[in-house]
Amino acid sequence: MSAAPLLELRAVAKSFGGARALRGVDFTLQAGEVHALLGENGAGKSTLIKIVTGAHQPDAGTLAVGGERLSHLTPAKARALGIACIYQQPALFPDLTVAENIGLRLEAGTSLRTIDWAARGARALELLRRLGAEIEPDAEVRSLSMPEQQLVEIACALGAGARIVIMDEPTASLTQKEQHLLFTVVRDLRASGVGVIYISHRLEEIFALADRVTVLRDGESVGTHPVSSINEAGLIRLMVGREMTQIYPPGEATLGAPVLSLRGVGCTASGVHGVSLEVRAGEILGLAGLVGAGRTELARVLFGLTPADAGTIELNGEPVVLRSPQAAVAHGLAYVPEDRRRHGVVLEMPIAENMTMAVHRRMFPGAWLRFGAERSLALDYIRDLAVKCTGPDAAGGSLSGGNQQKVSLARWLATRPKVLILDEPTQGVDVGAKGEIHKIVRRLAQEGLAVLLISSDLPEVLGMSDRIGIMRGGTITAVLPGNADAPTVMSAALGQSEKGAA
Amino acid sequence: MSAPVQTSRWKAIVLRHETALLAVVVIEWLCFNAIGPRFGSLDNTFDILRHSVEIGLLALVMTPVILTGGIDLSVGSLLGLCAILFGKLWRDAGLSPLTAGGCTLVIGALAGGLNAGLITGLRLPPLIVTLGTYSLFRGLAEAITRGADTFTNFPASFLFLGQERWLGLPTQAWLFGAVAAGVWLLVHRTTFGRSFRAIGFSPEGARYAGLPVQRRLTLVYVLAGVIAALAAVIYTARLGQAKADAATGYELFAITAVVLGGTSIFGGVGTVHGTLLGVAAIAVLNNGLVHARQPREVAGMLTGALLLLALSGSVAPKLWAAWRARSRPSPPPTPSSTTS
Amino acid sequence: MNRYFRELSVAGALLLVLAVMAIFAPGFFQPQPLLSLATREAPTLVVACGMALVIIGRQIDISVGSQFAVCSVCAGLLAAQNVPTALVALAAVTLGAGLGAINGLLVAGLRLPSIVVTLATMVTWREALRWQRQGAFVNLPDSLQWLGLSQSAGQWTLVGLAVALLAVLAYVTRHISAGRLVYAVGTDAEAARLAGIRPQVVTFGTFVLLGTLTGLAAMMNVVQSPQVDPKSGTGLELKAIAAVVVGGVAISGGRGRLWGVFAGLLLLACVAPALTHLHVEAYWEKAIQGAIILLAVVADGVRSRKSNR
């Protein structure tokens, strides 16, 4: 292509405090291409995106859009240039209606202009219909599901006539059907000459969708390749800088007695109903299903965050009532939540304090803190789980995603649980740490822990589980053996096998 | 360990907020001592102590409240209400001051429980709940006294608590010391304090860690109620009278002392000794200005200004860094890394 | 659920109070006392409108009472120097805007929490005023009394001005872009920034507007009486916040309508005279207002819990 690229970054660098997030990255985006951006967590992808959208200013380097060099990009200027970003967590206004959300982004003019509500509504409706989305413009955004909110974001980008569309892990919370819809939208955008920067941890999506891929590692670009000239192993090698031989540790499970058994468990508030399940000591039970199938909701029921109002829960054959997380912890349940930054780790507190947070009663009899004991416990877990940190006093927020996940895991291992519920333990975790977490989980199961593994990463469920429970519509619809193949699990999750039976 | 670690630790202690505040208190003391000859006397020191006990008590219990990310605007009004009820229990119900005091503490606990119930039970923001009870408690005090009734002529045995000395110190100073030690231990040496911080940083994170968030918050607000009631009894003993407008605006002084003491208004960060220094800074300023023959209003004005200054100071480094980052021009790209 | 439910329920409560009064104390409905009541509450309505915008923008300002007093006293002092009334009004409004700008700078510029900032400015202005005046009232010249208490034309003017301002602001918050930006910032400041809005500017603007309206309210108050009390405006912040919260504006920002605030203020304003007419002692007014605030917040809390389920 002879024309100036749509977007060109040269030697862009950015530091936060002492940490260098980007150290001289080059990146180009042509019109009508889908350019995937890949890298471990903390490789600098989000920083790069924030520089392109004007949310951050680079410390060094240049940024040019359509060949025109820009010195001081603000979010407003970026928007005017046709740069739109669809975030993982849509940045919408929950209290405002869909139409107003779209209008706020699209309507130009001074802040003194009069608002034409009818035109706003009509425009929103038109854009949403173009995406095939069945969303009422009058609905408040807080009442929409996460994928619906993403569609509203995309509608904004469409309406703005964006030339550069950035998608930051757009499929992380989408169902299969919604993913296909999204892929169609992305391909339409590309066909109309839009440049798309596509960020994802899922390699298969990159191969399905992207034209070129750039891999970031430690704030540096380690290469841009046409997708046709590289394979999965090659990409992983670029990301981690070494060959990954075997991602999933082998498991020889020696199953013990049932530890956790559920009979007809339900919770009206969270839509979980009629769940019957049994997890044995030493077993990893994978829970597969589409987003919204009720897996996290079931975990929250078991952990007493939204207590069950139907059925019985038995631990080691004893019926128990779990009305609060404290009760669940007391009965030997542990829950490593999905959102580690909000729920898994208190970012501002030291690692040691994070690790002992669930064992206050046992570690500190009479509520008196024992700093020595705390420190030695933290040091033990830092060593056992190979947490990369400067020491037990380092703040949780100073760690990378994978290491935060290990701290979250350590907090729950310290409770010496009987049942460990892991919710998306490797989501957003880089490939290296992912393998380590898998090994830890396998080892724990071999030591006799009952593990409930919730994961949307199908290879992970298949590779780790001794049995696979399928959830759909708030209940368990099937339990498959651990050696089931991917199509079987996927079709069960989609409810196709049932349809055939009925 | 090695020398650099030692020096950085010393540097950290010197640069601490509390150290700076201690210096401020000492400088205040020296300045006022130079102006008024009577300022540094033992009598006046005790006077400062007596006057700062009630605000000090409120500031002490406000510290855990703010650590959890909350606020309690109702403590001043509750002090007023409790003072009235104490007077009522003693004069009209005929209870001994000791029994009446005990009942007042229970009433304080119930009032704190009202705040706690609304905040934890219905998940309402503490700001607006305590703004409501701020109005409610003061309104009840006015309604009970019909705006005019005051309680006086307390027995000398009761006034001993507020006006005399015991073992060489003002009597209430012993109570204050005990509460200060208790709150310090609670916040810095127990799992309760640890929970307060966790809740202040991330209430959801604390809940997911299995911490009893609602119970801890309840404790914090009930404690605030009880100590406000204790402060009411001491206040009544010090002045020898109880009126409906007792301790108007004390919540501001308490919050000022806490924020001045380095506690983050956003929760999570803060120390009890910082709060004590904050109380000292305000108390010395107030008393010193009186000795310097300045009207009381100047002290109030300066307290407000001091709070703004402390707040601005706490965000100044962050803003300065952000400003520098923005104003620094980006250098031209290094040609070595281009690959065309 | 009906999206006007909250406003309608306040209006319903107001009608209920009026119905109770009609049955048990019909003496309440006399034109002249009601007009006087409306005149007394007109400045509060003006302040409450500004407060509503600040709270919709997810901030709060508890220094309006002190701002009100400062503006009142300054207006009174200027009037006593025989400055023309129009200039006095201009000065009061400008001073209010300036005081609002100070809060706005501290909150928006330094990103400090508004509750603490305005707590500090509340005390600072109030104490500065007490120091300056030492409790002395300002006597006003007769020339300023053209809107005096007894003249019903003057009273209608004040009430009309307040209601007109309410109508204008209600229109602006619904149909003018700048008004909607306040809602956007209140519901999510970070999303607003990403959408190209400058939340700091919007926040600053709401504080300046509230200051300006407070200055105007002070002027509306000054022309009603022959003297200015340096303690005037004490508790005004609470009345305004109460009206806003009772009127259905979410204290967490982003939600609420000015007409609801109007209904909330009317409801609260009826409490004191209603008490008098029902032979309850007026000392209960403050306690009942506190209880109404709590009731409104509790109602909101219960509703939002239900809708989240």
Side-chain angles (χ1 to χ4, degrees):
Chain A
M1 261 171 269
S2 57
L6 202 49
L7 173 74
E8 184 168 31
L9 276 74
R10 285 224 173 278
V12 167
K14 175 80 187 171
S15 302
F16 297 102
R20 294 173 68 188
L22 289 178
R23 18 183 126 200
V25 169
D26 295 337
F27 183 86
T28 59
L29 178 72
Q30 303 291 347
E33 85 162 336
V34 176
H35 193 149
L37 195 56
L38 196 61
E40 297 185 356
N41 259 52
K45 287 172 306 192
S46 4
T47 312
L48 189 69
I49 294 315
K50 284 188 173 146
I51 284 172
V52 175
T53 54
H56 286 333
Q57 302 301 321
D59 299 338
T62 59
L63 192 151
V65 173
E68 187 194 341
R69 202 177 138 178
L70 302 164
S71 57
H72 195 89
L73 195 65
T74 60
K77 223 194 268 178
R79 199 173 50 143
L81 284 165
I83 299 172
C85 185
I86 288 115
Y87 292 95
Q88 223 168 353
Q89 311 253 297
L92 296 170
F93 303 102
D95 290 320
L96 306 183
T97 64
V98 171
E100 180 153 27
N101 266 284
I102 295 178
L104 267 172
R105 303 278 193 89
L106 299 188
E107 288 162 20
T110 67
S111 51
L112 292 178
R113 71 181 191 279
T114 313
I115 288 162
D116 183 346
W117 286 96
R120 247 187 189 182
R123 179 153 194 212
L125 195 66
E126 189 256 329
L127 287 170
L128 290 167
R129 290 297 172 267
R130 245 164 81 192
L131 287 172
E134 304 270 327
I135 301 171
E136 280 303 312
D138 269 352
E140 275 187 12
V141 164
R142 65 163 70 243
S143 69
L144 303 184
S145 70
M146 195 63 91
E148 284 176 326
Q149 295 190 21
Q150 275 187 345
L151 287 172
V152 174
E153 284 262 9
I154 297 174
C156 286
L158 267 186
R163 293 188 295 161
I164 299 170
V165 174
I166 302 159
M167 297 189 165
D168 189 359
E169 295 221 39
T171 56
S173 59
L174 296 196
T175 64
Q176 199 80 16
K177 180 173 164 253
E178 288 159 341
Q179 267 182 40
H180 284 303
L181 186 63
L182 180 79
F183 285 2
T184 318
V185 172
V186 171
R187 292 193 182 106
D188 283 352
L189 288 175
R190 170 169 61 187
S192 61
V194 172
V196 178
I197 302 177
Y198 193 91
I199 299 173
S200 179
H201 272 106
R202 301 186 183 175
L203 299 185
E204 64 273 17
E205 282 178 14
I206 288 169
F207 285 99
L209 210 54
D211 303 303
R212 287 196 296 163
V213 54
T214 293
V215 179
L216 290 184
R217 191 169 75 215
D218 301 329
E220 281 175 300
S221 167
V222 291
T224 301
H225 300 272
V227 166
S228 52
S229 73
I230 195 164
N231 61 12
E232 289 204 16
L235 276 182
I236 292 179
R237 199 163 49 236
L238 280 176
M239 281 167 72
V240 300
R242 62 180 183 275
E243 189 98 36
M244 296 293 291
T245 48
Q246 193 170 23
I247 299 180
Y248 297 102
E252 322 120 46
T254 42
L255 301 190
V259 179
L260 174 73
S261 28
L262 313 179
R263 239 170 287 134
V265 170
C267 168
T268 329
S270 62
V272 174
H273 59 92
V275 173
S276 299
L277 200 63
E278 202 164 76
V279 193
R280 291 165 173 277
E283 181 181 38
I284 300 178
L285 180 77
L287 263 191
L290 304 176
V291 167
R295 293 169 303 166
T296 297
E297 286 74 8
L298 175 61
R300 287 170 51 93
V301 168
L302 292 180
F303 197 58
L305 286 158
T306 48
D309 52 16
T312 52
I313 302 174
E314 285 183 10
L315 276 168
N316 290 326
E318 299 279 321
V320 291
V321 180
L322 307 171
R323 292 215 60 80
S324 66
Q326 296 93 274
V329 175
H331 282 104
L333 270 122
Y335 175 47
V336 178
E338 178 179 8
D339 187 341
R340 65 179 159 266
R341 294 182 67 82
R342 276 179 59 215
H343 303 145
V345 177
V346 179
L347 299 175
E348 296 88 346
M349 291 178 91
I351 294 172
E353 296 187 10
N354 265 298
M355 284 180 175
T356 56
M357 203 172 279
V359 288
H360 278 177
R361 231 169 247 206
R362 205 191 69 224
M363 281 282 296
F364 309 121
W368 291 108
L369 297 176
R370 291 157 60 221
F371 295 103
E374 176 170 67
R375 193 179 164 83
S376 69
L377 177 129
L379 285 171
D380 284 351
Y381 277 109
I382 287 171
R383 195 189 55 234
D384 282 3
L385 305 184
V387 182
K388 284 192 203 95
C389 62
T390 54
D393 295 331
S398 68
L399 306 183
S400 71
N403 285 304
Q404 279 176 12
Q405 189 69 304
K406 288 179 187 171
V407 171
S408 177
L409 194 57
R411 172 194 291 174
W412 291 108
L413 295 183
T415 66
R416 300 180 196 144
K418 302 188 192 95
V419 180
L420 178 65
I421 307 170
L422 298 168
D423 195 350
E424 305 283 3
T426 60
Q427 192 178 65
V429 165
D430 61 67
V431 176
K434 195 168 169 174
E436 288 174 38
I437 289 173
H438 288 149
K439 268 185 215 140
I440 295 166
V441 172
R442 176 60 73 193
R443 195 183 76 213
L444 292 170
Q446 278 163 353
E447 287 166 13
L449 200 62
V451 179
L452 201 57
L453 172 70
I454 298 171
S455 176
S456 294
D457 187 353
L458 200 50
E460 180 173 272
V461 173
L462 294 171
M464 294 293 296
S465 310
D466 298 312
R467 283 188 302 151
I468 301 169
I470 308 291
M471 274 199 92
R472 198 163 65 83
T475 193
I476 300 261
T477 53
V479 179
L480 304 173
N483 56 9
D485 59 355
T488 317
V489 172
M490 189 41 77
S491 58
L494 288 168
Q496 280 161 352
S497 55
E498 252 187 320
K499 218 177 270 172
Chain B
M1 258 200 278
S2 55
V5 174
Q6 283 292 334
T7 50
S8 76
R9 186 171 295 166
W10 272 109
K11 212 171 149 189
I13 289 174
V14 171
L15 285 180
R16 256 180 133 139
H17 187 96
E18 287 85 351
T19 320
L21 195 56
L22 184 63
V24 168
V25 176
V26 170
I27 291 168
E28 273 180 4
W29 187 275
L30 293 176
C31 284
F32 289 129
N33 219 5
I35 294 170
R38 229 184 58 77
F39 176 82
S41 69
L42 197 63
D43 271 355
N44 188 52
T45 309
F46 285 171
D47 211 35
I48 295 177
L49 205 54
R50 279 204 184 96
H51 277 92
S52 53
V53 161
E54 294 102 35
I55 288 172
L57 285 172
L58 296 185
L60 277 173
V61 284
M62 189 72 83
T63 309
V65 170
I66 294 182
L67 273 181
T68 64
I71 199 154
D72 190 342
L73 298 176
S74 71
V75 285
S77 299
L78 182 57
L79 200 164
L81 177 61
C82 285
I84 292 303
L85 290 174
F86 173 77
K88 204 99 182 133
L89 286 169
W90 167 74
R91 192 189 67 187
D92 299 350
L95 299 179
S96 74
L98 195 64
T99 325
C103 293
T104 309
L105 293 192
V106 174
I107 292 164
L110 290 175
L114 174 65
N115 282 333
L118 293 171
I119 291 164
T120 63
L122 292 169
R123 309 269 161 88
L124 297 171
L127 170 65
I128 193 69
V129 167
T130 57
L131 196 62
T133 49
Y134 161 89
S135 187
L136 179 69
F137 294 155
R138 186 69 71 190
L140 285 174
E142 282 173 9
I144 290 168
T145 58
R146 304 201 166 119
D149 200 0
T150 55
F151 301 89
T152 49
N153 297 325
F154 289 99
S157 60
F158 171 64
L159 298 180
F160 178 80
L161 171 63
Q163 300 171 356
E164 302 295 323
R165 290 187 202 173
W166 187 59
L167 301 180
L169 282 179
T171 321
Q172 65 262 54
W174 292 101
L175 272 175
F176 180 67
V179 173
V183 174
W184 192 88
L185 289 171
L186 181 77
V187 167
H188 295 292
R189 284 292 177 268
T190 69
T191 57
F192 292 97
R194 186 64 71 72
S195 315
F196 301 157
R197 273 168 220 283
I199 293 167
F201 283 128
S202 166
E204 275 298 282
R207 200 159 92 91
Y208 272 80
L211 295 177
V213 175
Q214 312 297 339
R215 286 218 301 273
R216 292 292 176 270
L217 287 178
T218 306
L219 171 73
V220 161
Y221 288 96
V222 170
L223 190 67
V226 173
I227 299 299
L230 178 66
V233 175
I234 294 175
Y235 180 93
T236 311
R238 174 167 66 87
L239 292 181
Q241 66 165 2
K243 267 170 44 179
D245 64 351
T248 308
Y250 271 32
E251 62 282 343
L252 170 83
F253 291 111
I255 294 170
T256 306
V258 173
V259 172
L260 206 58
T263 299
S264 161
I265 197 76
F266 302 107
V269 180
T271 61
V272 173
H273 38 281
T275 296
L276 289 175
L277 285 169
V279 173
I282 294 175
V284 170
L285 182 68
N286 267 292
N287 181 280
L289 284 173
V290 172
H291 277 265
R293 294 188 205 294
Q294 294 295 320
R296 289 202 74 83
E297 293 82 18
V298 177
M301 240 169 73
L302 282 177
T303 307
L306 206 61
L307 177 56
L308 284 179
L309 216 64
L311 277 170
S312 311
S314 66
V315 294
K318 219 165 48 183
L319 283 173
W320 170 244
W323 184 79
R324 270 189 52 178
R326 274 185 65 175
S327 63
R328 207 171 70 190
S330 30
T334 44
S336 62
S337 62
T338 50
T339 49
S340 56
Chain C
M1 207 182 284
N2 190 319
R3 64 175 56 190
Y4 298 104
F5 173 82
R6 192 58 175 68
E7 284 80 9
L8 290 176
S9 64
V10 182
L14 179 61
L15 286 178
L16 189 71
V17 170
L18 293 181
V20 167
M21 296 309 292
I23 296 165
F24 296 102
F28 176 74
F29 295 97
Q30 285 168 355
Q32 195 49 48
L34 277 185
L35 182 59
S36 299
L37 174 67
T39 315
R40 268 204 313 279
E41 295 298 333
T44 316
L45 177 62
V46 173
V47 174
C49 286
M51 183 67 80
L53 279 166
V54 167
I55 292 181
I56 289 170
R58 201 185 262 176
Q59 303 291 346
I60 200 162
D61 186 344
I62 55 173
S63 71
V64 285
S66 301
Q67 292 182 20
F68 184 90
V70 170
C71 292
S72 296
V73 167
C74 288
L77 288 174
L78 281 178
Q81 304 274 323
N82 289 321
V83 174
T85 307
L87 278 183
V88 172
L90 185 69
V93 169
T94 315
L95 182 62
L99 293 176
I102 292 175
N103 284 336
L105 271 180
L106 289 164
V107 173
L110 297 183
R111 322 235 167 147
L112 295 170
S114 52
I115 176 75
V116 187
V117 165
T118 56
L119 194 63
T121 51
M122 167 173 95
V123 168
T124 310
W125 305 149
R126 180 70 70 187
E127 297 287 334
L129 198 60
R130 263 175 51 186
W131 181 37
Q132 186 59 40
R133 298 301 306 161
Q134 295 294 327
F137 283 49
V138 183
N139 288 312
L140 297 172
D142 295 340
S143 61
L144 208 64
Q145 298 306 306
W146 59 281
L147 289 174
L149 263 180
S150 56
Q151 303 157 8
S152 71
Q155 293 183 321
W156 282 114
T157 315
L158 286 180
V159 175
L161 180 62
V163 174
L165 261 173
L166 169 83
V168 168
L169 284 171
Y171 180 82
V172 167
T173 52
R174 179 66 190 157
H175 293 291
I176 300 292
S177 176
R180 301 308 296 172
L181 294 187
V182 179
Y183 284 81
V185 169
T187 177
D188 191 338
E190 181 57 20
R193 202 176 72 87
L194 291 171
I197 299 167
R198 282 183 293 170
Q200 309 305 329
V201 176
V202 173
T203 303
F204 179 75
T206 56
F207 276 99
V208 173
L209 181 66
L210 173 56
T212 312
L213 291 175
T214 307
L216 182 64
M219 192 62 202
M220 290 167 74
N221 192 46
V222 165
V223 295
Q224 288 184 32
S225 59
Q227 286 182 320
V228 178
D229 181 353
K231 286 207 293 291
S232 64
T234 311
L236 178 66
E237 65 282 347
L238 214 60
K239 276 168 102 177
I241 293 170
V244 168
V245 172
V246 170
V249 174
I251 198 78
S252 51
R255 294 165 85 86
R257 292 183 183 81
L258 286 185
W259 291 110
V261 174
F262 186 42
L265 181 70
L266 288 182
L267 181 62
L268 288 168
C270 285
V271 168
L275 288 180
T276 323
H277 281 277
L278 294 173
H279 307 293
V280 179
E281 283 168 325
Y283 305 114
W284 285 95
E285 184 187 353
K286 201 168 186 178
I288 288 176
Q289 280 186 350
I292 292 178
I293 299 180
L294 285 179
L295 204 68
V297 192
V298 165
D300 281 350
V302 170
R303 266 191 80 217
S304 76
R305 281 197 90 178
K306 274 196 182 139
S307 67
N308 281 345
R309 283 274 163 89

